[in-house]
Amino acid sequence: MKDKPELLSPAGSFESAIYAFKNGADAVYLGLKEFSARSSAVNFSFDELSRLKRFAQENGKKIYITINTVITEPEIQSLLKAAAELDFMEIDGIIIQDFGILSLLKKYFPEIPVHASTQMAVHTIEGISFLSKEGISRTILSRELSVKEIRNLKKAHKDMELEVFIHGALCYSFSGLCFASGVLLKRSANRGDCAGICRTWFNGEGRKGFFFSMKDLASYKHIEELKKAGVSSFKIEGRMKSPQYAGLSADLYRNLIDGKTRPENWNSLSAPLQTTFSRPYTDNWISGNFKSMITCHDYPSHTGIEAGTVSSSDSTSFTLKLLTDVSVRDGLMFFVPDDLPRAVKFGVKKMFTREGRAVTGEKPGKTVTISAPEQAPVSAPVYKISSHKLNWPGINEKAFPLWQKEISITVTVTSKDITVSASCRGREYLVSKILPVEKARSRNDFKKILLDLFQSSGDSAFTCGKIRLINQTDFDDNSIFIPPKELKSTRRAFFDRLDSLSAQGSMTPPPKRNTVRLKREHSRGIPRGKLVPEGNGKIPFVLFDSEFSQNSLPVIAGKRYVPLMPVLFNSQAYLKQLVNMIESGSTIHFVLGLNNPTHLEWVSKLSQYENVSFFVDYGLYTANSYAYRFFTERIPKLEFCYFWIEGSWEEYLSLIQSTGDTGVPLYFIGQSFAPHLFLSRGCYTNNLNGGTCPASCSRRFTYSLTQGSRKYQVVVKDCITWLFNKA
């Protein structure tokens, strides 16, 4: 690995990408108009991507494309077309969540590097082992890991690039294992349509609050530790945020990574970034301090930086001593008491000094009176949430030239004609033309004439990188003359042919439909609700905790079902308990439910037991035929798969439309089973107590919450928090 890790910035728009690059980002990650986990971001057309690719290539930067969503069967052909275009553009990598996409990319586009999204919830040595064997070149780790845990993962996998989030918003639930938005509002976070349920209010414990709204991650204190741990890429979250955020965060972390600034200077240097967007910061997970306050219960959104405290006020203005510079046209905010603190946001229109003189701005330390839309409470903090100084100029992407694919061209000249040929992706393309070939009146560098000619390819998607001249005339290379008009006509015909083939998708052999034959057993499937272990409450997985008993496992048709826990911070201990149970119950048949790449790595070992078989549970996503094929080809003794839990009946039917009675059954889970909504490493009890654990903690708690007419149950077991719909 290089001494300095890659700095990877978010690019929700073309402007964000350019500002990130110009402020020090080594790479950006971005989504297309389809297939992005941030569907509400502006995202990119292929025209914009081409222009950004040209800029990145000329400046030594990289671009990664996010296709980190679950893909349904009707979308496969569109995805194949998009992947072919990305392959043609020699994109630096594709970030994926769906194992079906991994299978598709490796089959048809093996040259594209594939990165495992944080949506895969990869957090163990075994999970990385499985991905490595499948050709994944980089793993984007779960955000819940500490530096120590990351270091141990890297020690075990020196050849796997590890990407770690260092700044930005945090999800309450493990990414990829959050079903709140999909279950409650039919807006799946695994489809890029998260409704942000964790940022909404709940009623509980005698109060109303944003109990699941996380603080923002800021890892500025841990940059050197992460570098020493072997992290390959430092990632900043924020594709939904502004170009200013992308640029300022890149600049700040570029200087930290390069050692040009120190962590102790963070507060002063980060003020512009915090003004652009910021919640209160935390580094609890990355630092390994899992018992600290990680949520903001009073307000879920941007609070900027504190500008001062109200010393006096009336219905039209307030007075305060400034902690930061404030100017007319800046945005301010204060809170007024309510059942939840109510934010009052406004732009500064008028400002006066202590002496009553109107000013357009003042520096820290000055006392000013500022006009306001309503009375601010005395002693209330005032926050600066925008600055007119950060209104950066817009960027016109059309001013950036399109990227062109460099190809090596061979020009064969005979006494009667010229043939131009090129090889691209293992296929040969050529254009021949009969034209006059004469001896030049004066010597010239004919090869350079050809190179200059074919490098001027206009609006073609191609350009000439290298040229080879095969001279089959009676003249030497420097004595060939072909009329310029004829050469230009040949060039135009050649590039027109290449562009036509590219537009038709002929540059890549068209893939055959990945047909599968699935049993039509949706009406006879095993209801997922029947596989919840007894005594677990609503938790639908086996925990192997102090309350576990083999007799608690559900038994169906003489087999005991064991849905494996998708999150394991001591995976070896869990595996040991699982193996002990299997070996001690040799007369019992166990069907193990697979919910994480960790479990897929265990399959080869566990399948050796005669009393073990498997099913693909809802923690893995079988939403398309490629995912189905991926699992059925790799998992021996596979009894059935559950269809993607957030998928509709119509999407399910589109996958089982092939007839026949062969293959592994695919079961539709349906509405009768209520999965977890959140699964979090954050302890709800700890955060209710302001970041402290209760005395003599039992590590077992339940709470009731409401939100309008909806009722919920919070379950805390061994510091892991679950949220469920309450029946």
Side-chain angles (χ1 to χ4, degrees):
M1 192 189 77
K2 298 181 296 184
D3 291 337
K4 292 179 182 177
E6 171 187 86
L7 177 58
L8 177 57
S9 288
S13 67
F14 191 90
E15 281 190 24
S16 293
I18 295 299
Y19 276 125
F21 279 148
K22 289 186 174 182
N23 282 278
D26 299 304
V28 295
Y29 62 102
L30 56 91
L32 303 175
K33 297 294 185 183
E34 296 179 283
F35 315 123
S36 169
R38 293 292 180 268
S39 61
S40 297
V42 176
N43 291 321
F44 281 70
S45 66
F46 276 101
D47 179 86
E48 292 169 324
L49 181 58
S50 175
R51 297 176 193 277
L52 186 63
K53 168 74 177 180
R54 174 78 170 263
F55 181 87
Q57 188 175 66
E58 291 175 349
N59 290 276
K61 309 289 187 178
K62 292 184 177 182
I63 299 172
Y64 305 122
I65 304 299
T66 59
I67 307 183
N68 53 339
T69 62
V70 173
I71 302 298
T72 62
E73 190 67 14
E75 296 171 317
I76 290 294
Q77 291 304 314
S78 295
L79 177 62
L80 283 165
K81 182 179 178 181
E85 292 196 58
L86 295 174
D87 186 39
F88 172 77
M89 293 180 68
E90 302 170 12
I91 213 69
D92 296 295
I94 293 180
I95 302 169
I96 60 105
Q97 172 188 9
D98 191 323
F99 279 111
I101 304 177
L102 172 61
S103 179
L104 179 151
L105 292 175
K106 289 301 178 183
K107 183 174 183 179
Y108 299 117
F109 311 103
E111 298 301 316
I112 301 179
V114 181
H115 299 179
S117 171
T118 190
Q119 291 286 117
M120 280 191 166
V122 182
H123 59 289
T124 67
I125 290 173
E126 298 96 322
I128 297 175
S129 293
F130 179 79
L131 296 179
S132 179
K133 293 171 186 175
E134 293 297 331
I136 294 287
S137 60
R138 177 183 291 186
T139 300
I140 306 169
L141 296 174
S142 293
R143 287 174 245 211
E144 290 79 1
L145 298 175
S146 68
V147 173
K148 180 180 178 181
E149 290 167 328
I150 293 167
R151 185 185 302 115
N152 290 336
L153 294 178
K154 185 61 180 180
K155 283 181 180 178
H157 292 285
K158 292 182 172 59
D159 294 332
M160 173 66 78
E161 292 184 0
L162 299 183
E163 182 175 304
V164 172
F165 281 93
I166 59 168
H167 192 90
L170 292 169
C171 298
Y172 189 80
S173 184
F174 272 84
S175 294
L177 294 171
C178 178
F179 301 104
S181 183
V183 169
L184 299 176
L185 300 176
K186 307 303 179 186
R187 292 177 52 184
S188 170
N190 294 298
R191 293 277 292 161
D193 195 24
C194 178
I197 301 297
C198 60
R199 302 292 181 189
T200 59
W201 59 265
F202 292 80
N203 278 310
E205 302 306 305
R207 59 167 294 194
K208 189 175 185 180
F210 300 94
F211 301 128
F212 303 106
S213 182
M214 295 287 286
K215 295 180 179 180
D216 279 1
L217 170 66
S219 302
Y220 59 92
K221 296 178 183 177
H222 306 284
I223 295 301
E224 289 304 314
E225 291 178 273
L226 289 167
K227 286 164 68 174
K228 291 176 182 177
V231 173
S232 300
S233 182
F234 287 0
K235 187 171 193 172
I236 299 171
E237 180 276 339
R239 281 194 286 146
M240 298 287 290
K241 298 186 175 78
S242 68
Q244 291 88 338
Y245 176 92
L248 290 167
S249 58
D251 178 70
L252 196 53
Y253 278 99
R254 176 81 278 154
N255 287 322
L256 282 167
I257 292 169
D258 293 350
K260 294 180 180 179
T261 189
R262 304 285 302 166
E264 50 265 31
N265 299 327
W266 172 267
N267 288 337
S268 59
L269 295 175
S270 66
L273 174 61
Q274 293 185 64
T275 303
T276 302
F277 190 93
S278 178
R279 299 180 182 92
Y281 286 136
T282 182
D283 66 346
N284 68 311
W285 283 333
I286 203 78
S287 68
N289 179 15
F290 302 115
K291 296 181 179 180
S292 62
M293 192 70 180
I294 58 173
T295 49
C296 307
H297 293 178
D298 290 333
Y299 189 66
S301 192
H302 173 43
T303 53
I305 59 173
E306 191 170 345
T309 302
V310 175
S311 57
S312 63
S313 68
D314 58 31
S315 61
T316 61
S317 65
F318 60 86
T319 300
L320 78 169
K321 185 177 181 180
L322 294 177
L323 298 176
T324 186
D325 63 286
V326 173
S327 300
V328 171
R329 293 189 293 133
D330 288 350
L332 299 182
M333 176 178 71
F334 58 80
F335 293 96
V336 296
D338 207 330
D339 58 344
L340 280 172
R342 178 170 58 85
V344 178
K345 303 177 185 180
F346 58 98
V348 177
K349 295 180 178 179
K350 296 179 181 179
M351 180 186 298
F352 303 91
T353 65
R354 189 194 298 266
E355 296 75 25
R357 179 171 53 87
V359 291
T360 57
E362 279 289 12
K363 297 179 179 180
K366 297 291 186 178
T367 298
V368 295
T369 298
I370 297 174
S371 59
E374 62 180 273
Q375 186 162 5
V378 174
S379 300
V382 177
Y383 301 93
K384 180 179 175 180
I385 57 173
S386 67
S387 171
H388 75 283
K389 296 177 183 178
L390 294 176
N391 292 331
W392 294 357
I395 291 175
N396 178 15
E397 65 267 17
K398 296 298 183 182
F400 290 73
L402 291 164
W403 175 81
Q404 294 175 300
K405 188 179 186 71
E406 287 192 359
I407 54 174
S408 295
I409 293 175
T410 298
V411 178
T412 303
V413 182
T414 72
S415 59
K416 297 180 180 180
D417 60 24
I418 183 172
T419 300
V420 183
S421 63
S423 178
C424 188
R425 298 183 182 181
R427 298 176 66 179
E428 194 76 19
Y429 302 90
L430 60 85
V431 167
S432 295
K433 186 173 184 180
I434 298 173
L435 45 70
V437 180
E438 306 170 6
K439 183 177 181 179
R441 295 179 181 178
S442 59
R443 295 180 65 79
N444 59 65
D445 189 341
F446 187 65
K447 184 176 180 180
K448 182 161 190 317
I449 291 173
L450 291 174
L451 181 62
D452 291 343
L453 179 79
F454 282 94
Q455 284 183 335
S456 301
S457 54
D459 293 332
S460 172
F462 299 85
T463 189
C464 179
K466 296 180 181 180
I467 200 156
R468 178 187 176 208
L469 173 62
I470 299 177
N471 183 358
Q472 296 180 352
T473 71
D474 295 332
F475 317 123
D476 64 56
D477 291 356
N478 295 327
S479 299
I480 299 173
F481 174 78
I482 297 175
K485 180 180 178 180
E486 298 292 345
L487 284 176
K488 290 178 180 178
S489 174
T490 304
R491 175 191 63 186
R492 183 167 55 253
F494 174 71
F495 283 118
D496 283 350
R497 177 166 175 76
L498 276 179
D499 288 332
S500 174
L501 291 171
S502 175
Q504 296 170 13
S506 300
M507 304 306 295
T508 300
K512 296 179 180 179
R513 181 176 173 81
N514 189 43
T515 56
V516 294
R517 297 170 68 82
L518 306 173
K519 287 186 178 180
R520 288 181 171 271
E521 294 195 10
H522 50 268
S523 61
R524 292 181 282 142
I526 298 174
R528 182 58 178 84
K530 290 188 176 182
L531 303 188
V532 178
E534 292 182 9
N536 250 23
K538 291 179 175 290
I539 297 175
F541 308 110
V542 172
L543 302 181
F544 285 125
D545 57 7
S546 59
E547 300 169 356
F548 173 76
S549 166
Q550 188 182 125
N551 293 328
S552 68
L553 296 174
V555 179
I556 299 176
K559 298 178 181 180
R560 289 193 183 274
Y561 284 79
V562 190
L564 301 180
M565 176 69 173
V567 174
L568 300 167
F569 292 106
N570 191 340
S571 57
Q572 284 301 300
Y574 188 94
L575 178 61
K576 183 178 179 180
Q577 290 176 288
L578 178 61
V579 168
N580 287 342
M581 181 185 71
I582 293 169
E583 291 179 344
S584 63
S586 57
T587 60
I588 302 170
H589 189 95
F590 297 98
V591 188
L592 310 183
L594 309 176
N595 282 291
N596 188 269
T598 303
H599 307 153
L600 296 175
E601 176 65 11
W602 290 349
V603 164
S604 60
K605 176 179 180 177
L606 296 174
S607 63
Q608 297 175 24
Y609 292 97
E610 292 184 1
N611 61 329
V612 166
S613 57
F614 306 95
F615 70 95
V616 173
D617 205 356
Y618 74 90
L620 298 172
Y621 302 107
T622 310
N624 56 70
S625 57
Y626 284 89
Y628 174 85
R629 182 72 71 192
F630 182 91
F631 295 131
T632 56
E633 289 179 351
R634 287 160 178 79
I635 304 172
K637 298 192 287 185
L638 180 60
E639 298 210 357
F640 62 89
C641 300
Y642 279 121
F643 179 65
W644 168 45
I645 191 169
E646 296 169 306
S648 67
W649 178 253
E650 290 72 24
E651 289 166 331
Y652 171 71
L653 290 179
S654 74
L655 181 53
I656 65 162
Q657 61 184 338
S658 57
T659 58
D661 199 34
T662 60
V664 176
L666 182 72
Y667 296 150
F668 185 76
I669 292 179
Q671 302 296 318
S672 61
F673 171 64
H676 68 272
L677 304 179
F678 296 151
L679 168 55
S680 177
R681 196 175 192 179
C683 178
Y684 185 83
T685 301
N686 175 279
N687 278 256
L688 273 186
N689 293 332
T692 60
C693 295
S696 303
C697 181
S698 67
R699 302 170 69 86
R700 301 286 190 275
F701 299 91
T702 58
Y703 304 89
S704 294
L705 298 178
T706 61
Q707 191 181 59
S709 61
R710 291 194 175 104
K711 297 180 180 180
Y712 305 92
Q713 183 181 59
V714 178
V715 178
V716 179
K717 275 199 171 187
D718 295 324
C719 305
I720 299 294
T721 298
W722 308 75
L723 179 70
F724 297 96
N725 260 328
K726 191 173 183 179

